[in-house]
Amino acid sequence: MEHTNKKPSQLISKILLYFSLCVFLFISIFPFYWMFVGSTNHTSKMFTNPPTLTFGDQFMTNLTNLNESIGIFRVLFNSLFVSLTFVILSLLVCTFAAYALSKFKFKGRNTIFLVFVLSMMIPYQATLIPLFRMMTEFNLLNTYFALIAPQLCFPFAIFLMRQNFLAFPDSLIESSRIDGAGEFRIFWSVVLPSMKPALAATSIYLFMMQWNNFMWPLVAVNSPEMYTFPVALSSLIGISMIDYGQIMVGISIATVPIIIFFLLLQRHFIAGMLGSAVKG
Amino acid sequence: MLHKRLTPYMFLAPALILFLWFTAYPIVASLILSFQKLEGGKYVFAGLANYTRLFQDSVFYEALKNTFIFLIVQVPIMLILALILASALNSKLLKLRGLFRVGFFMPAVTSLVAYAILFSIMLQDTGLLNQFLALFGIDNIKWLSHPFWAKFSIIMAMTWRWTGYNMVIYLAAMQNIPEELYEAASLDGAGKVKQFLNITVPQLKPVILFTAIISTISTLQLFDEPYNLTNGGPADATLTLGLYIYRVGFSYFDFGYASAMAYIIVVIVAILSIIQLKVAGDD
């Protein structure tokens, strides 16, 4: 490239770059804005020409209607209870397993790990029907147990935690053993405290998984009071007279907490959702 | 020291029990079920009946075809777009990188159901997108009720949801590419496009493979979007394997047939993953 025309062409490509990035940014973010606008307007305002792009005053009306349709507090409670319980239990189960698979040498270790990893390739649909029949047989449909238990052993979480344990120095574990600490104590008070960032990332991942989970709750629950939030939202579009205003409030409520959470914790968030891919 | 030898198994026990109970058993049970048929209220062995029935089922072919269209069109578009965006954001000279990164990633944190419903509202005949296009004199497009545009809508929605996610994976991997490679290429007179094709893409090969496999697996299971956006319609134009399994299993309660279909997905996932690994392995 010649020196004389380097500057203007660089300027043009820079402007083009910023312009296209801004277009993509607009496309990424605009639907969120429009969703909030929709949640504050009457249904009819969503299909006007020209489009309504300003906030209205119908939010409370829409929220009241939404609550009448799906019992918003009940389904929010269900989703929160299921997700939080799931995160705590799954984190416990998966962290234990990951610790065993990374810090002990024992028979079958590699096989067990391989089976966990391979099971991630099995599509969810292949387990759906036997799980449903199992829950039917034991009369567990429409219970929190059915919503929480099946995915507690979550291979990807084991995989993530294992990666992090592998980086923990064995010598520290050895010296604690020489000091006479029990295995469980070593795990709890020597190893785990240094795993806080990994635990945070993994729990965000698990929370997202469960909070957004749709297919299994759709199958496992058929009484509206046990619906999780996504199932309740989806049930709104099945009915004949669709009130888009209340739907917009519903999807806003499903989205806002996660966006706030995301903006506050975005480093952990991204690490959690990407897991070991980041270290690629 | 029996106690010491048992320690790892104690740590593993909860995971193993849950795994056997809720993952391993259902995987096997569904394989067995795929060879069974309901007769007189009981499941009896039916040989390959479910599988042979699949090969004569035109709806199954439609679902298979649609799923592959989503796979072949959407995954490459999304991954290439993600790669281009990531490499634009990777430039140190770019200002506001953090803002762009967070903005592009934001769709990936929303619930699948919520975003599918949002798109279904935007894509109504008199919805936002058509109003916007009207400004440019483009006539109403039947986004959700025309077979071609319904597929297009799902592809568009998935691309919106997932591109930023893949972009962030690429961005993270790009931090590991040594700066000297670009400097040397620059000195040799290679332009940005050449550097992208000859340095960035080859260096990211393992990560691109990773995202391709993950996207393939999740596209083959596609369910939330077609269920909430189009419910498979119009006339099954957006019916996916995942949605058809749900329909056969939980609307018609034909568990054996649905299980056979689920195992077709298992086989396809396995074959495609092996092909992708092989292709990436040959240098």
Side-chain angles (χ1 to χ4, degrees):
Chain A
M1 208 179 276
E2 286 173 43
H3 271 275
T4 40
N5 67 7
K6 195 170 182 179
K7 273 219 157 147
S9 80
Q10 254 190 355
L11 188 68
I12 291 170
S13 60
K14 215 169 181 181
I15 291 172
L16 266 171
L17 175 69
Y18 276 102
F19 178 75
S20 37
L21 285 177
C22 286
V23 170
F24 278 112
L25 189 65
F26 178 80
I27 295 171
S28 291
I29 293 182
F30 184 75
F32 293 111
Y33 172 76
W34 190 68
M35 173 178 79
F36 298 138
V37 167
S39 70
T40 63
N41 279 305
H42 186 262
T43 293
S44 59
K45 285 277 182 71
M46 254 157 272
F47 303 102
T48 52
N49 188 9
T52 310
L53 296 175
T54 49
F55 291 97
D57 54 4
Q58 296 295 303
F59 182 78
M60 285 318 287
T61 320
N62 288 335
L63 182 65
T64 315
N65 292 340
L66 178 71
N67 190 37
E68 268 166 33
S69 310
I70 61 171
I72 183 80
F73 297 105
R74 173 77 199 183
V75 293
L76 265 181
F77 170 80
N78 288 345
S79 264
L80 261 180
F81 177 77
V82 166
S83 303
L84 290 175
T85 315
F86 174 79
V87 170
I88 294 166
L89 294 179
S90 183
L91 204 58
L92 215 60
V93 168
C94 296
T95 306
F96 275 152
Y99 183 63
L101 289 171
S102 55
K103 290 298 166 201
F104 291 92
K105 288 200 170 59
F106 58 92
K107 231 178 143 189
R109 178 173 89 155
N110 294 334
T111 316
I112 292 172
F113 183 62
L114 188 70
V115 169
F116 281 154
V117 170
L118 281 179
S119 77
M120 287 195 264
M121 309 268 291
I122 301 282
Y124 199 53
Q125 282 93 349
T127 60
L128 197 65
I129 287 164
L131 278 176
F132 173 77
R133 294 181 78 197
M134 193 192 285
M135 296 302 166
T136 316
E137 204 173 315
F138 295 114
N139 238 332
L140 287 167
L141 288 182
N142 292 314
T143 61
Y144 289 121
F145 178 86
L147 288 170
I148 294 168
Q151 278 190 301
L152 280 179
C153 173
F154 202 80
F156 189 64
I158 296 177
F159 185 79
L160 279 183
M161 287 310 298
R162 181 178 167 273
Q163 297 287 96
N164 288 287
F165 282 130
L166 285 175
F168 188 87
D170 286 330
S171 53
L172 266 173
I173 299 175
E174 278 306 322
S175 61
S176 311
R177 276 191 193 127
I178 292 165
D179 289 346
E183 290 296 338
F184 190 73
R185 207 196 132 113
I186 295 174
F187 170 77
W188 203 256
S189 29
V190 178
V191 185
L192 218 49
S194 69
M195 290 293 146
K196 275 181 194 149
L199 290 169
T202 310
S203 34
I204 289 174
Y205 180 83
L206 289 169
F207 184 84
M208 285 290 297
M209 281 294 306
Q210 192 57 268
W211 178 260
N212 293 336
N213 196 3
F214 178 60
M215 198 178 194
W216 173 244
L218 184 69
V219 167
V221 157
N222 50 36
S223 96
E225 70 194 43
M226 281 304 289
Y227 277 174
T228 59
F229 203 30
V231 180
L233 280 179
S234 178
S235 74
L236 284 175
I237 53 170
I239 52 181
S240 51
M241 275 293 288
I242 300 181
D243 176 357
Y244 291 102
Q246 51 167 292
I247 292 181
M248 289 298 227
V249 173
I251 55 183
S252 299
I253 294 174
T255 310
V256 171
I258 288 197
I259 289 184
I260 293 174
F261 202 43
F262 167 62
L263 292 176
L264 291 176
L265 299 172
Q266 38 134 335
R267 300 191 101 231
H268 283 301
F269 217 93
I270 289 175
M273 287 191 64
L274 303 183
S276 58
V278 180
K279 286 163 202 141
Chain B
M1 293 291 273
L2 180 70
H3 178 68
K4 209 179 161 193
R5 260 196 284 152
L6 278 178
T7 313
Y9 297 104
M10 274 157 61
F11 278 109
L12 261 178
L16 276 182
I17 293 169
L18 287 163
F19 184 82
L20 291 174
W21 188 6
F22 292 119
T23 306
Y25 166 75
I27 288 173
V28 177
S30 124
L31 182 63
I32 295 169
L33 201 56
S34 78
F35 294 105
Q36 289 180 331
K37 220 157 82 177
L38 198 60
E39 250 167 42
K42 263 184 146 183
Y43 279 94
V44 293
F45 183 72
L48 290 170
N50 289 321
Y51 290 94
T52 48
R53 188 178 145 199
L54 267 179
F55 292 111
Q56 291 152 10
D57 180 351
S58 63
V59 183
F60 169 71
Y61 281 114
E62 184 69 27
L64 192 66
K65 191 188 87 192
N66 294 337
T67 307
F68 269 85
I69 289 175
F70 292 138
L71 187 69
I72 291 164
V73 179
Q74 198 267 335
V75 173
I77 290 179
M78 170 182 71
L79 295 186
I80 291 169
L81 196 59
L83 205 51
I84 293 171
L85 287 176
S87 100
L89 288 199
N90 197 35
S91 161
K92 300 262 182 310
L93 298 169
L94 188 79
K95 300 222 167 63
L96 304 171
R97 287 160 77 195
L99 175 78
F100 286 121
R101 195 181 57 135
V102 168
F104 292 160
F105 191 75
M106 213 145 96
V109 306
T110 59
S111 132
L112 291 173
V113 171
Y115 104 91
I117 294 176
L118 181 64
F119 270 70
S120 79
I121 301 174
M122 287 196 292
L123 296 174
Q124 303 276 321
D125 287 350
T126 52
L128 184 72
L129 198 58
N130 275 340
Q131 304 290 8
F132 175 74
L133 292 176
L135 298 177
F136 300 93
I138 297 172
D139 258 356
N140 256 14
I141 294 176
K142 302 237 171 269
W143 293 106
L144 301 174
S145 52
H146 181 284
F148 171 80
W149 291 112
K151 285 194 185 77
F152 186 93
S153 299
I154 293 205
I155 290 172
M156 189 164 63
M158 287 171 72
T159 308
W160 181 82
R161 172 68 163 67
W162 290 107
T163 303
Y165 174 80
N166 290 292
M167 182 203 74
V168 170
I169 297 183
Y170 293 149
L171 205 49
M174 279 177 188
Q175 322 269 291
N176 295 333
I177 302 178
E179 198 60 42
E180 298 87 66
L181 286 178
Y182 292 106
E183 281 162 17
S186 249
L187 287 177
D188 290 344
K192 290 275 174 218
V193 176
K194 249 194 166 145
Q195 290 182 24
F196 174 76
L197 291 175
N198 293 328
I199 301 173
T200 311
V201 174
Q203 288 280 322
L204 289 186
K205 210 170 161 189
V207 182
I208 294 173
L209 176 70
F210 170 82
T211 53
I213 291 182
I214 297 289
S215 309
T216 302
I217 296 177
S218 45
T219 307
L220 286 172
Q221 302 181 51
L222 191 63
F223 175 76
D224 296 20
E225 286 93 339
Y227 182 90
N228 288 300
L229 252 170
T230 54
N231 199 14
D236 293 340
T238 56
L239 184 72
T240 57
L241 291 174
L243 190 51
Y244 193 36
I245 291 175
Y246 175 80
R247 222 181 252 177
V248 169
F250 298 98
S251 299
Y252 315 150
F253 290 96
D254 196 341
F255 289 156
Y257 194 43
S259 294
M261 220 178 321
Y263 262 85
I264 297 286
I265 300 190
V266 174
V267 172
I268 298 175
V269 166
I271 292 174
L272 289 183
S273 300
I274 291 168
I275 292 176
Q276 281 167 333
L277 284 168
K278 275 261 176 341
V279 168
D282 292 341
D283 266 310

